[in-house]
Amino acid sequence: MRSENGTSGQKSRSFIEEARRAQIVAAAIEVIAEAGYGQASLARIAKHAGISKGVISYHFAGKDELMEEVVERTYGGIAEHVMARMEGLTTATELLRAYVLAVAEHMRGHRAQLAALGEIFHNFRDADGKPRYGVHTSEQIYQTLEHFYRMGQESGEFRDFDVRVMAVTQSAAIDNMFAYWAAHPEHDLDAHANELADLFERACRA
Amino acid sequence: MRSENGTSGQKSRSFIEEARRAQIVAAAIEVIAEAGYGQASLARIAKHAGISKGVISYHFAGKDELMEEVVERTYGGIAEHVMARMEGLTTATELLRAYVLAVAEHMRGHRAQLAALGEIFHNFRDADGKPRYGVHTSEQIYQTLEHFYRMGQESGEFRDFDVRVMAVTQSAAIDNMFAYWAAHPEHDLDAHANELADLFERACRA
Amino acid sequence: MRSENGTSGQKSRSFIEEARRAQIVAAAIEVIAEAGYGQASLARIAKHAGISKGVISYHFAGKDELMEEVVERTYGGIAEHVMARMEGLTTATELLRAYVLAVAEHMRGHRAQLAALGEIFHNFRDADGKPRYGVHTSEQIYQTLEHFYRMGQESGEFRDFDVRVMAVTQSAAIDNMFAYWAAHPEHDLDAHANELADLFERACRA
Amino acid sequence: MRSENGTSGQKSRSFIEEARRAQIVAAAIEVIAEAGYGQASLARIAKHAGISKGVISYHFAGKDELMEEVVERTYGGIAEHVMARMEGLTTATELLRAYVLAVAEHMRGHRAQLAALGEIFHNFRDADGKPRYGVHTSEQIYQTLEHFYRMGQESGEFRDFDVRVMAVTQSAAIDNMFAYWAAHPEHDLDAHANELADLFERACRA
DNA sequence: GATGAATGAGCGTTCATTCAT
DNA sequence: TATGAATGAACGCTCATTCAT
């Protein structure tokens, strides 16, 4: 998302600054994934990163900003990979299958990110106590899926169904596939993803 | 220590003891649902219940036991209702549809329980830092669903598919239906449940 | 200020609660007087009182409430004593002299309170960064003094002068008398007070 | 270490060094005046000056030295102006009136300096916890005033009074005039100063 | 000369738990 | 049974200072 434009006038972070932020984000991901959001104190993250506690405060405005950056970077990585895998596909059936498989493929190599993302989504709250992320944050994903469903319905590939329910369900199915895999590391993620693709193809098709 | 049961080995509780525990559990559910697990301190729960903080410590060994009782009681309520609704049904298709609808029906009247359950599942960890509940805790639900799937596959109602993936998916679909409903209270829960029943019927059938 | 009415329905603090608050306030006064507002951390106050840091948080909503209680109790003590000493006096000249001498008399036995009050006045700020106390807090004192000046001007005892300037000046003269005394403990406070009374009598009289 | 003066033993500073120090002192004055001593962190002062935090540490041995320089420069400015205004005057009455008016005249144009000076006086403490400035620091001012009082007493202009009490009082009266003005910017400082001059003339005269 | 990065101690506050009454 | 008092550890965060570049 951040510009790598050499001619732009926008200020950019120094190399060392960027490296530190990345290091801290990585440490945060590992600690959150392992110990859970509630135990992921700045002290613990700093210790895991091998740095002083104050360094985090120096590079991030606060814990909130750190959490947001974890989400941002992780999401960015997923989106980038999935977009690439879906490029050039045209039918709704193909797109949906590619979507499921691409997310699974990417996550297979980023298990901790996955767990951390879930922890943050379920726990991170604003100062006013409202969840910072959550179902309402998934709106973008829902709309993307709904777009594919409508494509399929208009092309005749898919039957008539409630696209919102289908989007919520498919999104949940994918999320839980990862949760199950996280709890059962020997579970065959790719096979699961293929089963899911079949499942939703059958659930959608005319 | 506090009671001795004359006819059996299992310990029993006095009426007043039982009432206090129920009151505290109810307060805990409301606080967790509203403020989240992280903000649900014993002080806050006690205040919400209109009792002294020490009472909780008196009736429960610790916060952990309280959380476990919240889960136990909530789960018990769901199971009781769902079992009743499924009684007498014989085909896998019927059983699965009844399952989805019964859970939805029960939860419609217990929104706070639902939210609290989710918070606890996602946050409660043992002293060693491992999640106390989670995907592995759902094993019983998975096996129940798998039992139905196999019934359907043997009777010819259902096609051949990976029953574990289907169970994980259907379970997730139901959980997320509630999460979505919690975030969008105007959402039509019963319609969603019916859509889900259709969806999985199509996904399963031969 | 707090009612000691036995029949009133208003809730009152328990004896032990009141004692702890008084103890903490006393410790705060001593620490602030000795080390200054900036060094008067809750940890230091607690250590001085021989209690755990958490006790202060238990009995006071926060540091701000503690500081306000210090001011309240100290001010109350001064006002009570000065009022008693001025009772029955009628001429402006008498009232002003009694005022100066009574404040000095009271403060002679409460040196630490005096110093703490000054520290808090000069340093305690609201969350928004504005001074919590300060010149504007002295308004009540100014108006009391102005009332006496006007009495003297109307009775012909005093010449015509700007009562606000005189009030600000006399108030400052008294405050600084204490500050000087605090820095020079061997200084004769009563003699100073008498000189001040003479000084302002000459400055005011017709 | 950074310079060697050819003609005297006293160390001198380069032009750029001097400019930097002046810039930092000016920024410190503004921040202290606005936010108070307690909030005047080096980071905040540096940001206000538009420089890096380390620059302050480079030019000053520490925060203490910076504070001392603020006081020194501010005091120097006042003294310079007051001395000029008193030059050529001979009677004690004239000198005292000129003193009060000159200080007021100068401060009218240096409100932030005034506020900063007060903040530092009331808060700045040595490493051992003792106030760095305070009543005892005013000794020089007291002695100057006392010198004038004695002149007046010897010439017969003034009555017999305790010169120390008068000096402390007049000094406090002037300080508080500024404090009042700082809190009530619409207050007429010059009129106040004239009232003060009258007041002390009457308080002193034979 | 100047900088930004890093440190570590200390801050006010929250909290689960213990305990005497 | 029930309470409120007390504890002590941990939390996120701020800060003056140090230092390599």
Side-chain angles (χ1 to χ4, degrees):
Chain A
M1 289 279 166
R2 283 203 181 80
S3 161
E4 58 268 8
N5 187 325
T7 61
S8 150
Q10 70 180 95
K11 83 175 175 187
S12 64
R13 290 200 175 82
S14 72
F15 172 75
I16 191 163
E17 162 83 1
E18 195 58 39
R20 264 282 189 250
R21 286 178 73 97
Q23 177 198 14
I24 293 166
V25 165
I29 287 170
E30 283 163 27
V31 171
I32 295 169
E34 188 183 315
Y37 183 88
Q39 310 307 318
S41 67
L42 294 190
R44 193 159 175 175
I45 293 169
K47 191 176 178 184
H48 189 89
I51 57 176
S52 157
K53 199 171 56 161
V55 180
I56 299 179
S57 295
Y58 180 77
H59 289 285
F60 292 91
K63 194 180 185 181
D64 289 9
E65 192 189 296
L66 171 57
M67 293 300 133
E68 281 167 8
E69 183 130 344
V70 168
V71 171
E72 216 173 282
R73 291 190 185 231
T74 304
Y75 249 13
I78 300 170
E80 198 178 337
H81 182 262
V82 173
M83 293 296 170
R85 281 288 181 278
M86 295 174 72
E87 217 165 47
L89 304 183
T90 52
T91 74
T93 306
E94 283 173 334
L95 283 163
L96 282 175
R97 176 170 294 268
Y99 176 81
V100 173
L101 299 182
V103 177
E105 182 185 31
H106 182 258
M107 279 313 177
R108 195 156 19 92
H110 299 84
R111 196 184 289 219
Q113 280 189 17
L114 186 67
L117 210 55
E119 286 286 327
I120 294 173
F121 268 48
H122 288 117
N123 290 287
F124 184 19
R125 292 179 174 240
D126 286 298
D128 61 2
K130 301 284 166 221
R132 174 72 178 78
Y133 299 108
V135 175
H136 64 280
T137 318
S138 307
E139 191 56 33
Q140 198 188 338
I141 294 174
Y142 294 156
Q143 293 190 5
T144 302
L145 288 171
E146 285 172 349
H147 174 68
F148 296 150
Y149 298 141
R150 284 206 199 82
M151 277 179 56
Q153 288 174 332
E154 283 162 15
S155 73
E157 292 171 73
F158 292 167
R159 67 180 173 100
D160 188 41
F161 53 78
D162 185 317
V163 294
R164 174 51 51 125
V165 169
M166 189 63 75
V168 170
T169 303
Q170 183 153 11
S171 179
I174 294 168
D175 288 353
N176 240 56
M177 166 175 67
F178 294 128
Y180 189 84
W181 170 61
H184 302 87
E186 79 293 352
H187 187 60
D188 186 337
L189 189 60
D190 292 327
H192 191 136
N194 270 298
E195 278 281 333
L196 268 196
D198 289 348
L199 194 162
F200 282 96
E201 194 179 320
R202 284 173 185 273
C204 291
R205 73 181 174 202
Chain B
M1 191 165 293
R2 277 196 292 276
S3 98
E4 62 280 351
N5 187 306
T7 60
S8 93
Q10 73 179 88
K11 79 178 174 187
S12 72
R13 287 189 241 272
S14 75
F15 172 75
I16 193 164
E17 163 84 2
E18 195 56 39
R20 265 279 189 252
R21 287 176 72 97
Q23 176 195 16
I24 293 166
V25 166
I29 287 170
E30 283 163 27
V31 170
I32 295 169
E34 189 181 313
Y37 184 88
Q39 310 306 319
S41 67
L42 293 190
R44 194 161 174 173
I45 293 168
K47 190 178 178 182
H48 190 88
I51 58 175
S52 155
K53 202 169 54 160
V55 182
I56 300 179
S57 297
Y58 180 78
H59 289 284
F60 294 91
K63 195 180 186 181
D64 290 8
E65 193 189 297
L66 171 56
M67 293 299 129
E68 280 167 7
E69 183 127 343
V70 167
V71 171
E72 227 171 89
R73 291 190 184 233
T74 303
Y75 250 10
I78 300 170
E80 196 178 337
H81 183 263
V82 172
M83 291 300 170
R85 282 286 180 281
M86 295 175 73
E87 215 166 47
L89 303 183
T90 52
T91 72
T93 306
E94 282 174 335
L95 283 163
L96 281 176
R97 177 171 293 267
Y99 176 81
V100 173
L101 298 182
V103 176
E105 182 185 30
H106 182 257
M107 278 313 178
R108 195 153 24 90
H110 301 82
R111 197 184 288 217
Q113 280 189 17
L114 185 70
L117 210 55
E119 287 286 327
I120 295 173
F121 268 47
H122 288 117
N123 290 286
F124 185 21
R125 292 178 174 243
D126 287 298
D128 63 1
K130 299 288 168 216
R132 175 70 179 78
Y133 298 107
V135 174
H136 65 279
T137 317
S138 307
E139 191 56 33
Q140 198 188 337
I141 293 173
Y142 295 156
Q143 293 189 5
T144 303
L145 289 171
E146 286 172 348
H147 174 68
F148 297 148
Y149 299 140
R150 286 208 197 82
M151 276 177 58
Q153 287 173 334
E154 283 162 15
S155 73
E157 291 170 75
F158 292 168
R159 67 179 174 98
D160 188 41
F161 54 78
D162 185 319
V163 294
R164 175 51 51 123
V165 169
M166 189 63 76
V168 170
T169 303
Q170 184 154 9
S171 179
I174 293 168
D175 287 353
N176 241 56
M177 169 175 66
F178 295 128
Y180 189 84
W181 172 59
H184 302 87
E186 80 292 352
H187 187 61
D188 186 337
L189 189 60
D190 291 327
H192 191 137
N194 270 297
E195 279 279 333
L196 269 196
D198 288 349
L199 194 162
F200 282 97
E201 194 180 321
R202 285 172 186 271
C204 290
R205 73 181 174 200
Chain C
M1 292 279 164
R2 281 202 183 82
S3 161
E4 59 267 9
N5 187 326
T7 61
S8 152
Q10 70 180 95
K11 84 172 176 190
S12 65
R13 290 200 175 83
S14 72
F15 172 74
I16 192 163
E17 162 83 2
E18 196 57 39
R20 263 282 188 253
R21 286 177 74 96
Q23 178 196 14
I24 293 166
V25 165
I29 287 171
E30 284 162 26
V31 171
I32 294 169
E34 189 182 315
Y37 183 88
Q39 309 306 318
S41 68
L42 294 190
R44 193 159 175 175
I45 293 168
K47 191 177 177 184
H48 189 87
I51 57 177
S52 157
K53 198 170 57 159
V55 181
I56 300 180
S57 295
Y58 179 76
H59 289 284
F60 293 90
K63 194 180 187 183
D64 289 8
E65 192 189 295
L66 171 56
M67 292 300 132
E68 280 167 8
E69 184 131 342
V70 168
V71 171
E72 217 174 282
R73 291 189 184 231
T74 304
Y75 248 12
I78 300 170
E80 198 178 336
H81 182 262
V82 173
M83 293 296 170
R85 281 287 180 281
M86 295 175 73
E87 215 165 49
L89 304 183
T90 52
T91 72
T93 306
E94 283 174 335
L95 283 163
L96 282 175
R97 177 171 294 268
Y99 175 81
V100 173
L101 299 181
V103 176
E105 182 184 32
H106 183 258
M107 278 314 178
R108 194 153 23 91
H110 300 84
R111 197 184 289 216
Q113 279 190 16
L114 185 71
L117 210 55
E119 287 287 326
I120 294 174
F121 268 47
H122 287 116
N123 290 287
F124 184 20
R125 292 177 175 243
D126 287 297
D128 61 2
K130 301 285 168 219
R132 174 73 178 76
Y133 299 108
V135 175
H136 64 281
T137 316
S138 306
E139 190 56 34
Q140 199 188 338
I141 294 173
Y142 294 158
Q143 293 189 5
T144 302
L145 289 171
E146 285 171 349
H147 174 69
F148 296 149
Y149 298 142
R150 286 208 197 82
M151 276 178 58
Q153 288 174 333
E154 283 162 16
S155 72
E157 293 171 72
F158 292 167
R159 66 178 174 101
D160 189 41
F161 53 77
D162 185 318
V163 294
R164 176 49 53 122
V165 168
M166 189 63 75
V168 169
T169 304
Q170 183 153 11
S171 179
I174 294 168
D175 288 353
N176 240 57
M177 168 175 66
F178 294 127
Y180 189 83
W181 170 60
H184 302 87
E186 80 293 352
H187 187 62
D188 186 337
L189 189 60
D190 291 326
H192 190 135
N194 271 297
E195 279 280 333
L196 269 196
D198 289 347
L199 193 161
F200 282 96
E201 195 179 318
R202 285 172 187 274
C204 290
R205 73 181 173 200
Chain D
M1 190 164 295
R2 278 197 292 277
S3 96
E4 61 279 352
N5 186 305
T7 59
S8 94
Q10 72 180 89
K11 79 178 175 187
S12 71
R13 288 190 239 274
S14 75
F15 172 74
I16 193 162
E17 164 84 1
E18 195 56 40
R20 264 280 190 252
R21 286 177 73 98
Q23 176 196 16
I24 293 167
V25 165
I29 287 170
E30 283 163 26
V31 170
I32 295 169
E34 189 181 313
Y37 184 88
Q39 310 305 320
S41 67
L42 292 190
R44 194 160 173 173
I45 293 168
K47 190 178 178 183
H48 190 89
I51 57 175
S52 156
K53 202 169 52 160
V55 181
I56 300 180
S57 297
Y58 181 78
H59 289 284
F60 293 91
K63 196 182 185 180
D64 290 7
E65 192 189 299
L66 170 56
M67 293 300 129
E68 280 167 7
E69 182 127 344
V70 168
V71 171
E72 224 170 274
R73 291 189 184 232
T74 304
Y75 251 11
I78 299 170
E80 196 178 338
H81 182 262
V82 173
M83 292 298 170
R85 281 286 181 281
M86 294 174 73
E87 215 165 47
L89 303 184
T90 52
T91 72
T93 307
E94 282 174 335
L95 283 163
L96 282 174
R97 177 170 293 268
Y99 175 80
V100 173
L101 299 182
V103 176
E105 182 185 32
H106 182 257
M107 279 311 177
R108 195 155 21 93
H110 299 84
R111 197 183 287 219
Q113 280 190 15
L114 186 68
L117 210 54
E119 287 287 325
I120 295 173
F121 267 48
H122 288 118
N123 291 285
F124 183 20
R125 291 178 175 245
D126 288 297
D128 62 3
K130 300 288 167 218
R132 176 69 179 78
Y133 299 108
V135 175
H136 64 280
T137 320
S138 306
E139 191 56 32
Q140 196 188 341
I141 294 174
Y142 295 156
Q143 293 190 5
T144 302
L145 288 170
E146 285 172 349
H147 174 68
F148 296 149
Y149 298 141
R150 285 206 199 83
M151 276 177 57
Q153 287 173 334
E154 284 162 14
S155 73
E157 292 170 73
F158 292 168
R159 67 181 173 96
D160 189 41
F161 54 77
D162 186 318
V163 295
R164 175 49 52 125
V165 169
M166 189 64 75
V168 169
T169 303
Q170 183 153 12
S171 178
I174 293 168
D175 288 352
N176 241 55
M177 167 174 68
F178 295 129
Y180 188 84
W181 171 60
H184 302 86
E186 80 292 351
H187 187 62
D188 185 337
L189 189 60
D190 292 327
H192 191 135
N194 271 297
E195 279 279 333
L196 269 195
D198 289 348
L199 195 161
F200 283 96
E201 194 179 322
R202 283 173 186 273
C204 290
R205 74 182 173 198

